[in-house]
Amino acid sequence: MKNNIELCNLYVWGYQPHTQISFNMAAEHILSEFSSNLDPFLFLFGISDNETDKKYQICLPPEANYINLQDFSELDILAEQYRKNAPDSEILNSHPIAEENNKRRIKVNAYRKSIQTILEKKGLYDDKSYFISFPTTINNFHVFTILSINKPMLQNIYSLKKDKIHGRYTIFNSLFSAVIDSLFVECNNALKDPENAFTVIGNYENQIFKNAGIKLMNSISARVTNNLVPKGLLQSCNEIAALKYEGAKGIGNMILASKNHENIKYLLKLSEPINFKEHRKVRKFLELSSNNFDIISDTERIYGLGTTKGTYNPMKENLFYIKFLDHHKWELYHNDFPMLRVCYSKSSYPKEKINKIKFTSDLDKIFGNIRNELKEELWDIIITATEQKHGTMIVISKEATEEAERLSGQCFKIVPQKIDNTLIKQITSIDGAVLIDENTTCHAIGVILDGIATSKGNSARGARYNSAIRYYEANKKKGNHSLMIVVISEDGMIDIIPDLLPKIKHSTILKNIEILKKLITEKSLDTKEYNKIKSFFHENRFYLNESECNLINDYKKRINEKFKKETKGAILNLNDFFPSPEMNDSYYEENGTKK
């Protein structure tokens, strides 16, 4: 196999940059459902399908500047290896069209696996995970949609391990993987009309999550039954959750496992199992479930009532729970981890209401080092406040005394006193925020917050959330950064404002600065290393202090001056770095070597 592949930073068609911007915005919006720190970046990667006239074989857009084109110099060689080893490569079809389609499918799948292999190797060093679609053909190019995700943040999303059944058939291990697959399907559908693709993808968010929910539940059914035939599990659960029995809402639990699963203990067995699709019978039987006993089903039939026994091995991934919470509301669990929430047939990711580690870490960043007992008291207050069904808001401010006085005309100002769990239940029962300081001393209740107009609000959220954003931005403008607002919405959603970035090791920053400095002394520029460092500093610019910003700005200027002739001006420059006023040493992990 010859290795004279042509590489270029060009576009496959004229509207590609517009399409990438549209696709990327859609990916950012859709994946924010899982986390605000996934840092998704979507781009389109082209491989020529023209065997006779290959002016360029690979087209990588300039926007993906942190990926080195030279990494793909042996793509054809790697793809040929995958093609030869493909399970279907020895199959011959009698019909010539079927044979041609099979060869084409094997070929593009070999390219997809090769791209994945190259990017996964790169991902070992740049803290990114990569997802790749099957291609669409545009202008004699196989165009792949590629999505990069922040790997450390991705690890916070609960996911099963197995992604194959019977050794070769794909099943989905999380709602996240199913959403990405559904996003890729919509991207490919849009690319069938490339000149107008950038106007289409943003309209499909609800459909993407709906399709993802179906794919995930079909995959759960496949794990339980070891059978790929779709059971319509999502739709059946929606039907059951929608039904009432004698006017009562359906509330109860269901265990999804094989009939004779080793970890199942029956209280009673049905002599004639109920077909899962007989929704009214299933709904009636659900009345028998309680805190101690659950319905037992293998996603095809209901076998009886029982519970789990022994210690379940989660690596087997063949026992799941469905909790019917309310009318039209249910959730899927594995090993006590929530995987899917469905509310009125709308699938979503069941994010943890509030993360204690992040909450206490953010307290330190905002208020300095707070005593552990105070952190526990504040945590207990917030957890108790989350039980208010109509929602509420807790404002923790170092300037609580002054704010209670300033807002006295639009709150109930009280004699300052420490509050506990019992009192917080009472004072959050009325509209308005509760104003406390970092020592859990309350200064006012029923507070109507003021603020300034800001573009950081969200029109899809309620008045409580947006008033908190306006109030925070107003205080930030005045220089008051010692402020945290916990917003508990009526629908159970919880937001902490500000949503701060995680801690990192300071030693990692120092190490990369030294690597950048070393590049100045080299005789020729290692562009791969330079691109990797550029990507690191761009992604971690918030964590740089003033002296580090000055060093980086100086080093990259000297590198560009030294190697400008050698690279013919092709070095993509970094914008100058400036320290963030919100950055402080609390963002460094304790085992980071701050100097």
Side-chain angles (χ1 to χ4, degrees), residues 366-379:
I366 294 171
F367 299 103
N369 292 323
I370 296 180
R371 300 195 316 273
N372 288 335
E373 56 267 31
L374 276 179
K375 291 178 185 176
E376 289 297 325
E377 290 175 13
L378 287 166
W379 173 253

PDB file of all heavy atoms in Angstrom, residues 366-379:
ATOM      1  N   ILE A 366     -15.398  30.442  46.664  1.00  0.00           N
ATOM      2  CA  ILE A 366     -16.119  31.712  46.761  1.00  0.00           C
ATOM      3  C   ILE A 366     -15.847  32.431  48.075  1.00  0.00           C
ATOM      4  O   ILE A 366     -15.661  33.653  48.104  1.00  0.00           O
ATOM      5  CB  ILE A 366     -17.640  31.456  46.594  1.00  0.00           C
ATOM      6  CG1 ILE A 366     -17.929  30.957  45.178  1.00  0.00           C
ATOM      7  CG2 ILE A 366     -18.446  32.729  46.884  1.00  0.00           C
ATOM      8  CD1 ILE A 366     -19.345  30.474  44.978  1.00  0.00           C
ATOM      9  N   PHE A 367     -15.804  31.694  49.192  1.00  0.00           N
ATOM     10  CA  PHE A 367     -15.718  32.325  50.505  1.00  0.00           C
ATOM     11  C   PHE A 367     -14.382  32.103  51.205  1.00  0.00           C
ATOM     12  O   PHE A 367     -14.213  32.486  52.355  1.00  0.00           O
ATOM     13  CB  PHE A 367     -16.843  31.802  51.410  1.00  0.00           C
ATOM     14  CG  PHE A 367     -18.224  32.096  50.896  1.00  0.00           C
ATOM     15  CD1 PHE A 367     -18.970  31.099  50.292  1.00  0.00           C
ATOM     16  CD2 PHE A 367     -18.760  33.376  50.991  1.00  0.00           C
ATOM     17  CE1 PHE A 367     -20.235  31.360  49.801  1.00  0.00           C
ATOM     18  CE2 PHE A 367     -20.036  33.643  50.517  1.00  0.00           C
ATOM     19  CZ  PHE A 367     -20.776  32.638  49.906  1.00  0.00           C
ATOM     20  N   GLY A 368     -13.424  31.469  50.523  1.00  0.00           N
ATOM     21  CA  GLY A 368     -12.186  31.123  51.198  1.00  0.00           C
ATOM     22  C   GLY A 368     -12.385  29.805  51.931  1.00  0.00           C
ATOM     23  O   GLY A 368     -13.403  29.132  51.787  1.00  0.00           O
ATOM     24  N   ASN A 369     -11.414  29.411  52.717  1.00  0.00           N
ATOM     25  CA  ASN A 369     -11.511  28.135  53.429  1.00  0.00           C
ATOM     26  C   ASN A 369     -12.524  28.226  54.568  1.00  0.00           C
ATOM     27  O   ASN A 369     -12.315  28.928  55.553  1.00  0.00           O
ATOM     28  CB  ASN A 369     -10.146  27.717  53.977  1.00  0.00           C
ATOM     29  CG  ASN A 369      -9.189  27.360  52.851  1.00  0.00           C
ATOM     30  OD1 ASN A 369      -9.595  26.781  51.853  1.00  0.00           O
ATOM     31  ND2 ASN A 369      -7.924  27.711  53.019  1.00  0.00           N
ATOM     32  N   ILE A 370     -13.643  27.502  54.411  1.00  0.00           N
ATOM     33  CA  ILE A 370     -14.698  27.454  55.424  1.00  0.00           C
ATOM     34  C   ILE A 370     -14.518  26.193  56.270  1.00  0.00           C
ATOM     35  O   ILE A 370     -14.158  25.138  55.758  1.00  0.00           O
ATOM     36  CB  ILE A 370     -16.091  27.449  54.750  1.00  0.00           C
ATOM     37  CG1 ILE A 370     -16.311  28.769  54.001  1.00  0.00           C
ATOM     38  CG2 ILE A 370     -17.195  27.258  55.779  1.00  0.00           C
ATOM     39  CD1 ILE A 370     -17.641  28.850  53.313  1.00  0.00           C
ATOM     40  N   ARG A 371     -14.759  26.297  57.559  1.00  0.00           N
ATOM     41  CA  ARG A 371     -14.642  25.136  58.442  1.00  0.00           C
ATOM     42  C   ARG A 371     -15.567  24.013  57.988  1.00  0.00           C
ATOM     43  O   ARG A 371     -16.686  24.254  57.507  1.00  0.00           O
ATOM     44  CB  ARG A 371     -14.979  25.514  59.883  1.00  0.00           C
ATOM     45  CG  ARG A 371     -14.080  26.583  60.477  1.00  0.00           C
ATOM     46  CD  ARG A 371     -14.220  26.645  61.998  1.00  0.00           C
ATOM     47  NE  ARG A 371     -15.602  26.584  62.438  1.00  0.00           N
ATOM     48  CZ  ARG A 371     -16.410  27.637  62.564  1.00  0.00           C
ATOM     49  NH1 ARG A 371     -15.951  28.852  62.249  1.00  0.00           N
ATOM     50  NH2 ARG A 371     -17.643  27.500  63.003  1.00  0.00           N
ATOM     51  N   ASN A 372     -15.105  22.793  58.140  1.00  0.00           N
ATOM     52  CA  ASN A 372     -15.874  21.639  57.669  1.00  0.00           C
ATOM     53  C   ASN A 372     -17.251  21.554  58.317  1.00  0.00           C
ATOM     54  O   ASN A 372     -18.233  21.178  57.667  1.00  0.00           O
ATOM     55  CB  ASN A 372     -15.096  20.342  57.941  1.00  0.00           C
ATOM     56  CG  ASN A 372     -13.904  20.187  57.018  1.00  0.00           C
ATOM     57  OD1 ASN A 372     -13.883  20.736  55.919  1.00  0.00           O
ATOM     58  ND2 ASN A 372     -12.896  19.456  57.460  1.00  0.00           N
ATOM     59  N   GLU A 373     -17.360  21.925  59.613  1.00  0.00           N
ATOM     60  CA  GLU A 373     -18.661  21.856  60.273  1.00  0.00           C
ATOM     61  C   GLU A 373     -19.654  22.857  59.672  1.00  0.00           C
ATOM     62  O   GLU A 373     -20.854  22.581  59.568  1.00  0.00           O
ATOM     63  CB  GLU A 373     -18.538  22.072  61.787  1.00  0.00           C
ATOM     64  CG  GLU A 373     -17.862  23.369  62.204  1.00  0.00           C
ATOM     65  CD  GLU A 373     -16.365  23.216  62.427  1.00  0.00           C
ATOM     66  OE1 GLU A 373     -15.757  22.366  61.753  1.00  0.00           O
ATOM     67  OE2 GLU A 373     -15.820  23.948  63.269  1.00  0.00           O
ATOM     68  N   LEU A 374     -19.130  24.024  59.228  1.00  0.00           N
ATOM     69  CA  LEU A 374     -20.001  25.005  58.570  1.00  0.00           C
ATOM     70  C   LEU A 374     -20.445  24.502  57.199  1.00  0.00           C
ATOM     71  O   LEU A 374     -21.585  24.713  56.783  1.00  0.00           O
ATOM     72  CB  LEU A 374     -19.281  26.344  58.423  1.00  0.00           C
ATOM     73  CG  LEU A 374     -19.320  27.287  59.625  1.00  0.00           C
ATOM     74  CD1 LEU A 374     -18.535  28.560  59.330  1.00  0.00           C
ATOM     75  CD2 LEU A 374     -20.758  27.633  59.992  1.00  0.00           C
ATOM     76  N   LYS A 375     -19.540  23.835  56.486  1.00  0.00           N
ATOM     77  CA  LYS A 375     -19.905  23.258  55.198  1.00  0.00           C
ATOM     78  C   LYS A 375     -21.035  22.251  55.372  1.00  0.00           C
ATOM     79  O   LYS A 375     -21.977  22.216  54.566  1.00  0.00           O
ATOM     80  CB  LYS A 375     -18.698  22.573  54.557  1.00  0.00           C
ATOM     81  CG  LYS A 375     -17.600  23.510  54.099  1.00  0.00           C
ATOM     82  CD  LYS A 375     -16.431  22.711  53.529  1.00  0.00           C
ATOM     83  CE  LYS A 375     -15.272  23.613  53.165  1.00  0.00           C
ATOM     84  NZ  LYS A 375     -14.097  22.854  52.691  1.00  0.00           N
ATOM     85  N   GLU A 376     -20.948  21.425  56.407  1.00  0.00           N
ATOM     86  CA  GLU A 376     -21.985  20.426  56.661  1.00  0.00           C
ATOM     87  C   GLU A 376     -23.311  21.102  56.988  1.00  0.00           C
ATOM     88  O   GLU A 376     -24.375  20.662  56.545  1.00  0.00           O
ATOM     89  CB  GLU A 376     -21.567  19.498  57.800  1.00  0.00           C
ATOM     90  CG  GLU A 376     -20.433  18.542  57.443  1.00  0.00           C
ATOM     91  CD  GLU A 376     -20.816  17.570  56.335  1.00  0.00           C
ATOM     92  OE1 GLU A 376     -21.989  17.147  56.273  1.00  0.00           O
ATOM     93  OE2 GLU A 376     -19.924  17.243  55.519  1.00  0.00           O
ATOM     94  N   GLU A 377     -23.260  22.177  57.772  1.00  0.00           N
ATOM     95  CA  GLU A 377     -24.483  22.900  58.128  1.00  0.00           C
ATOM     96  C   GLU A 377     -25.123  23.523  56.886  1.00  0.00           C
ATOM     97  O   GLU A 377     -26.349  23.451  56.696  1.00  0.00           O
ATOM     98  CB  GLU A 377     -24.174  23.979  59.172  1.00  0.00           C
ATOM     99  CG  GLU A 377     -23.818  23.428  60.546  1.00  0.00           C
ATOM    100  CD  GLU A 377     -23.406  24.526  61.520  1.00  0.00           C
ATOM    101  OE1 GLU A 377     -23.641  25.726  61.207  1.00  0.00           O
ATOM    102  OE2 GLU A 377     -22.852  24.206  62.594  1.00  0.00           O
ATOM    103  N   LEU A 378     -24.309  24.136  56.038  1.00  0.00           N
ATOM    104  CA  LEU A 378     -24.836  24.736  54.807  1.00  0.00           C
ATOM    105  C   LEU A 378     -25.409  23.657  53.887  1.00  0.00           C
ATOM    106  O   LEU A 378     -26.461  23.853  53.261  1.00  0.00           O
ATOM    107  CB  LEU A 378     -23.727  25.516  54.093  1.00  0.00           C
ATOM    108  CG  LEU A 378     -23.325  26.840  54.736  1.00  0.00           C
ATOM    109  CD1 LEU A 378     -22.011  27.345  54.153  1.00  0.00           C
ATOM    110  CD2 LEU A 378     -24.419  27.893  54.544  1.00  0.00           C
ATOM    111  N   TRP A 379     -24.721  22.525  53.815  1.00  0.00           N
ATOM    112  CA  TRP A 379     -25.207  21.413  52.986  1.00  0.00           C
ATOM    113  C   TRP A 379     -26.573  20.920  53.487  1.00  0.00           C
ATOM    114  O   TRP A 379     -27.496  20.708  52.702  1.00  0.00           O
ATOM    115  CB  TRP A 379     -24.196  20.276  53.003  1.00  0.00           C
ATOM    116  CG  TRP A 379     -24.671  19.021  52.316  1.00  0.00           C
ATOM    117  CD1 TRP A 379     -25.056  17.864  52.916  1.00  0.00           C
ATOM    118  CD2 TRP A 379     -24.826  18.815  50.920  1.00  0.00           C
ATOM    119  NE1 TRP A 379     -25.444  16.937  51.988  1.00  0.00           N
ATOM    120  CE2 TRP A 379     -25.305  17.491  50.744  1.00  0.00           C
ATOM    121  CE3 TRP A 379     -24.601  19.599  49.795  1.00  0.00           C
ATOM    122  CZ2 TRP A 379     -25.570  16.948  49.495  1.00  0.00           C
ATOM    123  CZ3 TRP A 379     -24.856  19.056  48.542  1.00  0.00           C
ATOM    124  CH2 TRP A 379     -25.338  17.758  48.393  1.00  0.00           C
TER     125      TRP A 379
END
